[in-house]
Amino acid sequence: MLWAATASALFAFMWVLPKLVGANVPAVQVAFLRYMAGAVCIAPFIIAGVVRRTPGPIVEVGGRSLFMLHAARSACSVGALVFGVYAVTSIPLANV
């Protein structure tokens, strides 16, 4: 139960920060910093996998590479975050 409450508080905090800095920082920069924070959190696991030389996941289905689908999914995710941050900073707090 404590994990769920902590996750809920952190999720709410994730949207409070863009609201607070939205007047001074562009939405694209907020999105970049948010993704960089995520990369810093994931980096130890990636480095540990490289050091142990564990193979990465196979990104092929039926002999076809899924790289372009992953790239499109990533682009949609970045766009959604930028537009979401822009919306949170533009809408008055009572409507959020």
Side-chain angles (χ1 to χ4, degrees):
M1 194 67 175
L2 182 62
W3 285 107
T6 304
S8 178
L10 289 174
F11 187 72
F13 186 66
M14 252 182 358
W15 288 107
V16 168
L17 288 178
K19 184 72 174 172
L20 294 175
V21 299
N24 302 326
V25 181
V28 174
Q29 188 174 0
V30 172
F32 175 78
L33 292 174
R34 191 162 156 190
Y35 279 126
M36 284 305 296
V40 168
C41 292
I42 294 174
F45 299 103
I46 294 173
I47 292 169
V50 169
V51 169
R52 281 185 272 155
R53 297 179 191 248
T54 55
I58 297 172
V59 193
E60 288 185 0
V61 172
R64 293 179 28 207
S65 175
L66 298 178
F67 178 77
M68 290 308 293
L69 288 176
H70 285 295
R73 178 179 160 259
S74 297
C76 289
S77 174
V78 170
L81 181 62
V82 170
F83 290 136
V85 168
Y86 177 75
V88 166
T89 58
S90 300
I91 297 173
L93 189 58
N95 293 335
V96 173

